[in-house]
Amino acid sequence: MAKTLKRAAAFTALARALTAGSRGGPSVAQRLGALPRMIKASTRGEYDGGMRLALMAAATAYVVSPIDAVPEAFIWVFGLIDDAVAVTWLAGAVLAETDRFLEWEKTGRPAVVK
């Protein structure tokens, strides 16, 4: 039951984020456009999204990797469920992190002390 509620909450958050542009929030295009800037700022050490970006990259690699095709070949429906969960988490993570990054850009970047 708890897993079902968590999935429902994840889908609700995803739907809200996708429609945020129509309610005055950043649109999906703005969020996707922020990804390269977020990656660049993280690699420079200006933004603290390094670990979250690494997790998103790992989820992307898992979904597109040929190793992931093995579960789909033997247990088709159940093999696709793990992909659906990974893609749902990835979409939510990207939307949440880009929202956080856009807010960070808007409020002013803190000085980096080296």
Tab-separated table of all heavy atoms in Angstrom, residues 65-110:
chain	number	residue	atom	x	y	z
A	65	SER	N	20.903	1.096	-21.490
A	65	SER	CA	21.962	0.095	-21.655
A	65	SER	C	21.412	-1.205	-22.232
A	65	SER	O	20.279	-1.596	-21.970
A	65	SER	CB	22.632	-0.197	-20.316
A	65	SER	OG	21.761	-0.933	-19.487
A	66	PRO	N	22.230	-1.905	-23.005
A	66	PRO	CA	21.800	-3.197	-23.543
A	66	PRO	C	21.680	-4.263	-22.461
A	66	PRO	O	20.954	-5.239	-22.630
A	66	PRO	CB	22.882	-3.567	-24.552
A	66	PRO	CG	23.996	-2.620	-24.345
A	66	PRO	CD	23.505	-1.479	-23.536
A	67	ILE	N	22.347	-4.092	-21.340
A	67	ILE	CA	22.237	-5.060	-20.245
A	67	ILE	C	20.811	-5.084	-19.716
A	67	ILE	O	20.310	-6.126	-19.299
A	67	ILE	CB	23.238	-4.710	-19.117
A	67	ILE	CG1	24.656	-4.897	-19.625
A	67	ILE	CG2	22.995	-5.534	-17.871
A	67	ILE	CD1	25.722	-4.390	-18.707
A	68	ASP	N	20.152	-3.958	-19.756
A	68	ASP	CA	18.777	-3.877	-19.286
A	68	ASP	C	17.818	-4.630	-20.209
A	68	ASP	O	16.693	-4.901	-19.828
A	68	ASP	CB	18.355	-2.416	-19.168
A	68	ASP	CG	16.995	-2.264	-18.542
A	68	ASP	OD1	16.741	-2.950	-17.531
A	68	ASP	OD2	16.187	-1.484	-19.056
A	69	ALA	N	18.250	-4.984	-21.396
A	69	ALA	CA	17.385	-5.723	-22.319
A	69	ALA	C	17.201	-7.171	-21.883
A	69	ALA	O	16.236	-7.819	-22.283
A	69	ALA	CB	17.964	-5.675	-23.732
A	70	VAL	N	18.078	-7.686	-21.043
A	70	VAL	CA	17.985	-9.086	-20.598
A	70	VAL	C	16.681	-9.345	-19.830
A	70	VAL	O	15.972	-10.306	-20.159
A	70	VAL	CB	19.227	-9.478	-19.767
A	70	VAL	CG1	19.077	-10.864	-19.169
A	70	VAL	CG2	20.471	-9.397	-20.645
A	71	PRO	N	16.305	-8.528	-18.822
A	71	PRO	CA	15.024	-8.798	-18.156
A	71	PRO	C	13.825	-8.710	-19.101
A	71	PRO	O	12.882	-9.493	-18.977
A	71	PRO	CB	14.931	-7.724	-17.071
A	71	PRO	CG	16.308	-7.266	-16.852
A	71	PRO	CD	17.031	-7.457	-18.156
A	72	GLU	N	13.881	-7.780	-20.055
A	72	GLU	CA	12.765	-7.658	-20.999
A	72	GLU	C	12.646	-8.896	-21.890
A	72	GLU	O	11.557	-9.274	-22.290
A	72	GLU	CB	12.922	-6.409	-21.871
A	72	GLU	CG	12.484	-5.136	-21.192
A	72	GLU	CD	13.603	-4.468	-20.427
A	72	GLU	OE1	14.760	-4.901	-20.571
A	72	GLU	OE2	13.323	-3.529	-19.668
A	73	ALA	N	13.765	-9.526	-22.196
A	73	ALA	CA	13.732	-10.689	-23.079
A	73	ALA	C	13.081	-11.895	-22.404
A	73	ALA	O	12.391	-12.669	-23.065
A	73	ALA	CB	15.146	-11.039	-23.523
A	74	PHE	N	13.303	-12.049	-21.105
A	74	PHE	CA	12.805	-13.241	-20.424
A	74	PHE	C	11.481	-13.022	-19.697
A	74	PHE	O	10.620	-13.896	-19.709
A	74	PHE	CB	13.861	-13.758	-19.435
A	74	PHE	CG	15.106	-14.221	-20.124
A	74	PHE	CD1	16.276	-13.498	-20.011
A	74	PHE	CD2	15.107	-15.368	-20.909
A	74	PHE	CE1	17.422	-13.906	-20.659
A	74	PHE	CE2	16.251	-15.783	-21.558
A	74	PHE	CZ	17.411	-15.051	-21.432
A	75	ILE	N	11.345	-11.909	-19.069
A	75	ILE	CA	10.104	-11.619	-18.337
A	75	ILE	C	9.596	-10.253	-18.798
A	75	ILE	O	9.730	-9.259	-18.115
A	75	ILE	CB	10.326	-11.675	-16.817
A	75	ILE	CG1	11.587	-10.927	-16.407
A	75	ILE	CG2	10.374	-13.085	-16.310
A	75	ILE	CD1	11.826	-10.849	-14.910
A	76	TRP	N	9.010	-10.239	-19.948
A	76	TRP	CA	8.672	-9.030	-20.692
A	76	TRP	C	7.985	-7.965	-19.847
A	76	TRP	O	8.484	-6.860	-19.726
A	76	TRP	CB	7.805	-9.417	-21.897
A	76	TRP	CG	7.546	-8.284	-22.811
A	76	TRP	CD1	8.423	-7.717	-23.671
A	76	TRP	CD2	6.335	-7.561	-22.935
A	76	TRP	NE1	7.832	-6.683	-24.337
A	76	TRP	CE2	6.528	-6.559	-23.899
A	76	TRP	CE3	5.096	-7.650	-22.336
A	76	TRP	CZ2	5.542	-5.678	-24.265
A	76	TRP	CZ3	4.109	-6.769	-22.706
A	76	TRP	CH2	4.344	-5.800	-23.664
A	77	VAL	N	6.847	-8.265	-19.261
A	77	VAL	CA	6.079	-7.258	-18.530
A	77	VAL	C	6.844	-6.785	-17.300
A	77	VAL	O	6.966	-5.588	-17.056
A	77	VAL	CB	4.692	-7.809	-18.124
A	77	VAL	CG1	3.963	-6.838	-17.220
A	77	VAL	CG2	3.867	-8.110	-19.355
A	78	PHE	N	7.377	-7.722	-16.535
A	78	PHE	CA	8.099	-7.339	-15.316
A	78	PHE	C	9.418	-6.647	-15.629
A	78	PHE	O	9.886	-5.815	-14.865
A	78	PHE	CB	8.327	-8.566	-14.428
A	78	PHE	CG	7.043	-9.171	-13.947
A	78	PHE	CD1	6.619	-10.390	-14.435
A	78	PHE	CD2	6.245	-8.500	-13.036
A	78	PHE	CE1	5.427	-10.946	-14.003
A	78	PHE	CE2	5.050	-9.039	-12.601
A	78	PHE	CZ	4.642	-10.272	-13.089
A	79	GLY	N	10.004	-6.974	-16.763
A	79	GLY	CA	11.226	-6.297	-17.175
A	79	GLY	C	10.986	-4.851	-17.547
A	79	GLY	O	11.868	-4.008	-17.401
A	80	LEU	N	9.796	-4.558	-18.030
A	80	LEU	CA	9.470	-3.179	-18.385
A	80	LEU	C	9.091	-2.332	-17.167
A	80	LEU	O	9.216	-1.109	-17.201
A	80	LEU	CB	8.329	-3.151	-19.401
A	80	LEU	CG	8.672	-3.730	-20.777
A	80	LEU	CD1	7.437	-3.726	-21.669
A	80	LEU	CD2	9.794	-2.956	-21.418
A	81	ILE	N	8.666	-2.991	-16.107
A	81	ILE	CA	8.278	-2.248	-14.906
A	81	ILE	C	9.482	-1.519	-14.316
A	81	ILE	O	9.366	-0.368	-13.907
A	81	ILE	CB	7.627	-3.192	-13.872
A	81	ILE	CG1	6.264	-3.641	-14.396
A	81	ILE	CG2	7.494	-2.520	-12.508
A	81	ILE	CD1	5.592	-4.705	-13.554
A	82	ASP	N	10.641	-2.181	-14.283
A	82	ASP	CA	11.819	-1.502	-13.729
A	82	ASP	C	12.202	-0.291	-14.574
A	82	ASP	O	12.648	0.725	-14.047
A	82	ASP	CB	12.996	-2.462	-13.550
A	82	ASP	CG	13.574	-2.946	-14.874
A	82	ASP	OD1	12.815	-3.071	-15.843
A	82	ASP	OD2	14.790	-3.210	-14.928
A	83	ASP	N	12.010	-0.388	-15.886
A	83	ASP	CA	12.267	0.773	-16.744
A	83	ASP	C	11.285	1.905	-16.442
A	83	ASP	O	11.672	3.068	-16.389
A	83	ASP	CB	12.145	0.400	-18.221
A	83	ASP	CG	13.309	-0.430	-18.706
A	83	ASP	OD1	14.344	-0.463	-18.010
A	83	ASP	OD2	13.186	-1.048	-19.771
A	84	ALA	N	10.020	1.565	-16.244
A	84	ALA	CA	9.015	2.582	-15.948
A	84	ALA	C	9.332	3.281	-14.631
A	84	ALA	O	9.221	4.516	-14.536
A	84	ALA	CB	7.630	1.946	-15.893
A	85	VAL	N	9.746	2.524	-13.640
A	85	VAL	CA	10.100	3.129	-12.354
A	85	VAL	C	11.325	4.027	-12.516
A	85	VAL	O	11.365	5.146	-12.012
A	85	VAL	CB	10.342	2.035	-11.291
A	85	VAL	CG1	10.960	2.607	-10.028
A	85	VAL	CG2	9.043	1.315	-10.971
A	86	ALA	N	12.338	3.553	-13.234
A	86	ALA	CA	13.564	4.342	-13.429
A	86	ALA	C	13.270	5.623	-14.214
A	86	ALA	O	13.768	6.697	-13.865
A	86	ALA	CB	14.621	3.514	-14.146
A	87	VAL	N	12.464	5.527	-15.250
A	87	VAL	CA	12.141	6.709	-16.059
A	87	VAL	C	11.300	7.697	-15.250
A	87	VAL	O	11.526	8.911	-15.331
A	87	VAL	CB	11.425	6.290	-17.364
A	87	VAL	CG1	10.803	7.486	-18.060
A	87	VAL	CG2	12.399	5.582	-18.279
A	88	THR	N	10.372	7.197	-14.456
A	88	THR	CA	9.558	8.076	-13.612
A	88	THR	C	10.426	8.801	-12.598
A	88	THR	O	10.304	10.016	-12.408
A	88	THR	CB	8.457	7.276	-12.887
A	88	THR	OG1	7.658	6.619	-13.870
A	88	THR	CG2	7.593	8.176	-12.036
A	89	TRP	N	11.325	8.055	-11.940
A	89	TRP	CA	12.223	8.692	-10.979
A	89	TRP	C	13.118	9.711	-11.681
A	89	TRP	O	13.312	10.813	-11.181
A	89	TRP	CB	13.101	7.648	-10.271
A	89	TRP	CG	14.058	8.320	-9.345
A	89	TRP	CD1	13.813	8.699	-8.065
A	89	TRP	CD2	15.379	8.768	-9.659
A	89	TRP	NE1	14.915	9.337	-7.551
A	89	TRP	CE2	15.899	9.395	-8.511
A	89	TRP	CE3	16.188	8.694	-10.792
A	89	TRP	CZ2	17.170	9.938	-8.453
A	89	TRP	CZ3	17.467	9.241	-10.737
A	89	TRP	CH2	17.942	9.860	-9.582
A	90	LEU	N	13.645	9.339	-12.840
A	90	LEU	CA	14.537	10.224	-13.582
A	90	LEU	C	13.820	11.511	-13.987
A	90	LEU	O	14.363	12.608	-13.827
A	90	LEU	CB	15.084	9.508	-14.818
A	90	LEU	CG	16.049	10.286	-15.693
A	90	LEU	CD1	17.283	10.697	-14.904
A	90	LEU	CD2	16.443	9.449	-16.896
A	91	ALA	N	12.614	11.392	-14.485
A	91	ALA	CA	11.862	12.590	-14.882
A	91	ALA	C	11.597	13.490	-13.682
A	91	ALA	O	11.792	14.710	-13.751
A	91	ALA	CB	10.547	12.183	-15.548
A	92	GLY	N	11.184	12.900	-12.589
A	92	GLY	CA	10.952	13.688	-11.385
A	92	GLY	C	12.223	14.330	-10.856
A	92	GLY	O	12.216	15.496	-10.432
A	93	ALA	N	13.327	13.588	-10.897
A	93	ALA	CA	14.605	14.126	-10.419
A	93	ALA	C	15.083	15.273	-11.295
A	93	ALA	O	15.565	16.292	-10.795
A	93	ALA	CB	15.655	13.014	-10.372
A	94	VAL	N	14.954	15.117	-12.605
A	94	VAL	CA	15.377	16.184	-13.520
A	94	VAL	C	14.515	17.427	-13.307
A	94	VAL	O	15.037	18.547	-13.235
A	94	VAL	CB	15.314	15.712	-14.992
A	94	VAL	CG1	15.444	16.874	-15.954
A	94	VAL	CG2	16.403	14.682	-15.265
A	95	LEU	N	13.219	17.244	-13.179
A	95	LEU	CA	12.334	18.385	-12.975
A	95	LEU	C	12.620	19.075	-11.638
A	95	LEU	O	12.690	20.298	-11.570
A	95	LEU	CB	10.877	17.947	-13.052
A	95	LEU	CG	10.417	17.518	-14.448
A	95	LEU	CD1	9.024	16.906	-14.367
A	95	LEU	CD2	10.444	18.680	-15.414
A	96	ALA	N	12.813	18.304	-10.589
A	96	ALA	CA	13.085	18.896	-9.277
A	96	ALA	C	14.438	19.604	-9.262
A	96	ALA	O	14.567	20.711	-8.729
A	96	ALA	CB	13.043	17.816	-8.196
A	97	GLU	N	15.448	18.972	-9.844
A	97	GLU	CA	16.790	19.552	-9.806
A	97	GLU	C	16.888	20.793	-10.692
A	97	GLU	O	17.557	21.759	-10.335
A	97	GLU	CB	17.836	18.522	-10.212
A	97	GLU	CG	19.243	18.940	-9.927
A	97	GLU	CD	19.501	19.200	-8.449
A	97	GLU	OE1	18.865	18.569	-7.595
A	97	GLU	OE2	20.353	20.059	-8.141
A	98	THR	N	16.226	20.772	-11.851
A	98	THR	CA	16.257	21.977	-12.686
A	98	THR	C	15.487	23.109	-12.031
A	98	THR	O	15.881	24.269	-12.147
A	98	THR	CB	15.705	21.702	-14.100
A	98	THR	OG1	14.411	21.113	-14.002
A	98	THR	CG2	16.631	20.815	-14.901
A	99	ASP	N	14.416	22.786	-11.331
A	99	ASP	CA	13.688	23.816	-10.591
A	99	ASP	C	14.598	24.424	-9.522
A	99	ASP	O	14.664	25.640	-9.372
A	99	ASP	CB	12.443	23.217	-9.956
A	99	ASP	CG	11.520	24.259	-9.368
A	99	ASP	OD1	11.442	25.366	-9.934
A	99	ASP	OD2	10.873	23.963	-8.351
A	100	ARG	N	15.306	23.581	-8.811
A	100	ARG	CA	16.245	24.041	-7.783
A	100	ARG	C	17.359	24.881	-8.402
A	100	ARG	O	17.743	25.917	-7.875
A	100	ARG	CB	16.819	22.817	-7.067
A	100	ARG	CG	17.719	23.108	-5.917
A	100	ARG	CD	18.073	21.787	-5.205
A	100	ARG	NE	19.060	22.013	-4.194
A	100	ARG	CZ	20.371	21.856	-4.348
A	100	ARG	NH1	20.845	21.436	-5.495
A	100	ARG	NH2	21.206	22.088	-3.373
A	101	PHE	N	17.861	24.450	-9.553
A	101	PHE	CA	18.935	25.174	-10.221
A	101	PHE	C	18.457	26.532	-10.727
A	101	PHE	O	19.154	27.537	-10.574
A	101	PHE	CB	19.495	24.353	-11.389
A	101	PHE	CG	20.545	25.084	-12.171
A	101	PHE	CD1	21.823	25.248	-11.660
A	101	PHE	CD2	20.269	25.619	-13.419
A	101	PHE	CE1	22.799	25.924	-12.372
A	101	PHE	CE2	21.229	26.300	-14.132
A	101	PHE	CZ	22.500	26.447	-13.610
A	102	LEU	N	17.271	26.576	-11.327
A	102	LEU	CA	16.736	27.844	-11.823
A	102	LEU	C	16.513	28.824	-10.674
A	102	LEU	O	16.760	30.022	-10.821
A	102	LEU	CB	15.448	27.612	-12.610
A	102	LEU	CG	15.626	26.936	-13.971
A	102	LEU	CD1	14.286	26.509	-14.538
A	102	LEU	CD2	16.380	27.827	-14.925
A	103	GLU	N	16.067	28.315	-9.537
A	103	GLU	CA	15.909	29.169	-8.361
A	103	GLU	C	17.279	29.663	-7.882
A	103	GLU	O	17.427	30.817	-7.498
A	103	GLU	CB	15.198	28.396	-7.241
A	103	GLU	CG	14.856	29.233	-6.050
A	103	GLU	CD	13.846	30.326	-6.351
A	103	GLU	OE1	13.000	30.144	-7.245
A	103	GLU	OE2	13.927	31.389	-5.701
A	104	TRP	N	18.282	28.792	-7.923
A	104	TRP	CA	19.653	29.167	-7.539
A	104	TRP	C	20.180	30.259	-8.467
A	104	TRP	O	20.794	31.213	-8.003
A	104	TRP	CB	20.541	27.933	-7.586
A	104	TRP	CG	21.989	28.182	-7.327
A	104	TRP	CD1	22.589	28.367	-6.119
A	104	TRP	CD2	23.029	28.262	-8.307
A	104	TRP	NE1	23.946	28.553	-6.288
A	104	TRP	CE2	24.234	28.494	-7.621
A	104	TRP	CE3	23.054	28.158	-9.695
A	104	TRP	CZ2	25.447	28.623	-8.276
A	104	TRP	CZ3	24.261	28.284	-10.339
A	104	TRP	CH2	25.428	28.518	-9.630
A	105	GLU	N	19.919	30.120	-9.767
A	105	GLU	CA	20.351	31.148	-10.726
A	105	GLU	C	19.644	32.482	-10.457
A	105	GLU	O	20.256	33.549	-10.550
A	105	GLU	CB	20.051	30.721	-12.166
A	105	GLU	CG	21.061	29.817	-12.777
A	105	GLU	CD	20.779	29.565	-14.245
A	105	GLU	OE1	19.604	29.511	-14.657
A	105	GLU	OE2	21.763	29.437	-14.999
A	106	LYS	N	18.364	32.418	-10.144
A	106	LYS	CA	17.561	33.619	-9.947
A	106	LYS	C	17.977	34.383	-8.697
A	106	LYS	O	18.006	35.616	-8.701
A	106	LYS	CB	16.086	33.234	-9.843
A	106	LYS	CG	15.142	34.394	-9.999
A	106	LYS	CD	13.687	34.025	-9.764
A	106	LYS	CE	13.268	32.762	-10.454
A	106	LYS	NZ	11.853	32.422	-10.211
A	107	THR	N	18.302	33.670	-7.640
A	107	THR	CA	18.614	34.333	-6.364
A	107	THR	C	20.040	34.850	-6.323
A	107	THR	O	20.411	35.536	-5.375
A	107	THR	CB	18.395	33.400	-5.176
A	107	THR	OG1	19.215	32.244	-5.319
A	107	THR	CG2	16.933	33.014	-5.056
A	108	GLY	N	20.820	34.534	-7.305
A	108	GLY	CA	22.213	35.002	-7.310
A	108	GLY	C	23.146	33.894	-6.881
A	108	GLY	O	22.910	33.188	-5.922
A	109	ARG	N	24.183	33.755	-7.610
A	109	ARG	CA	25.145	32.694	-7.355
A	109	ARG	C	26.091	33.108	-6.228
A	109	ARG	O	26.649	34.187	-6.262
A	109	ARG	CB	25.934	32.401	-8.618
A	109	ARG	CG	25.039	31.966	-9.732
A	109	ARG	CD	25.795	31.820	-11.001
A	109	ARG	NE	24.866	31.391	-12.045
A	109	ARG	CZ	25.202	31.274	-13.297
A	109	ARG	NH1	26.411	31.537	-13.688
A	109	ARG	NH2	24.317	30.872	-14.169
A	110	PRO	N	26.274	32.249	-5.254
A	110	PRO	CA	27.214	32.587	-4.192
A	110	PRO	C	28.646	32.534	-4.721
A	110	PRO	O	28.947	31.821	-5.667
A	110	PRO	CB	26.980	31.495	-3.140
A	110	PRO	CG	26.387	30.362	-3.888
A	110	PRO	CD	25.625	30.966	-5.053
